[in-house]
Amino acid sequence: MRYVDPDGREIENVDTQLKMNNANEKSTLGNGSEYIRDVGCVLTSYTRIANSLGGKKYTLEEANQIAIQKGLYTNGNELTSENGANLVNALLNGTGKSVTFAGSINPGNMTDCGSFLNSLENSVSKLYVTARLDTYDQTGTKRYQHT
């Protein structure tokens, strides 16, 4: 984004040191049986945003426990975009800062994406955007979604 951003908006680093493989190897994600270090990219993304905004450095295990306590996971370990924003707000509790979930965009039409972001331009001072990318294993048969 930094090289194609036509209006020069500031790109903020959201704590690239926090990675899902930093989690304890036995920490399960949400209420499921899969491990944070294997499938916790969504949790990692929202924890990075909260850490960047709030100045406190939550671990993935701490953020995971808060999400569990608040009932933010669906279907075991799924963290929707809206509940991701709710997690960020839970992590920001006491800082005087908060985020608002603005909506989701279905991939496939970048025109829709641009229109959506432009519609938010005058209503917010800063946007945090996460994206889910589909990737496949070497055989091309197993699909992974990575945030």
Side-chain angles (χ1 to χ4, degrees), residues 12-119:
E12 187 170 336
N13 180 342
V14 289
D15 190 13
T16 58
Q17 298 305 309
L18 183 65
K19 298 183 168 125
M20 65 186 196
N21 62 1
N22 293 145
N24 181 309
E25 64 186 43
K26 296 187 191 274
S27 297
T28 55
L29 181 65
N31 301 306
S33 60
E34 296 175 296
Y35 297 114
I36 292 173
R37 62 185 304 119
D38 295 329
V39 295
C41 56
V42 176
L43 176 68
T44 305
S45 296
Y46 290 114
T47 306
R48 282 179 173 183
I49 291 170
N51 285 349
S52 175
L53 280 169
K56 182 173 180 187
K57 300 301 180 196
Y58 284 98
T59 67
L60 295 174
E61 286 86 359
E62 290 170 323
N64 189 46
Q65 285 306 308
I66 290 171
I68 292 169
Q69 291 166 1
K70 300 271 184 195
L72 299 177
Y73 288 108
T74 57
N75 299 321
N77 68 0
E78 292 178 17
L79 190 58
T80 65
S81 300
E82 187 169 8
N83 280 342
N86 291 333
L87 174 60
V88 171
N89 285 328
L91 297 173
L92 291 174
N93 188 29
T95 66
K97 297 178 181 179
S98 66
V99 298
T100 301
F101 173 69
S104 296
I105 301 166
N106 218 354
N109 188 339
M110 292 311 290
T111 303
D112 289 347
C113 179
S115 298
F116 175 72
L117 294 175
N118 285 335
S119 72

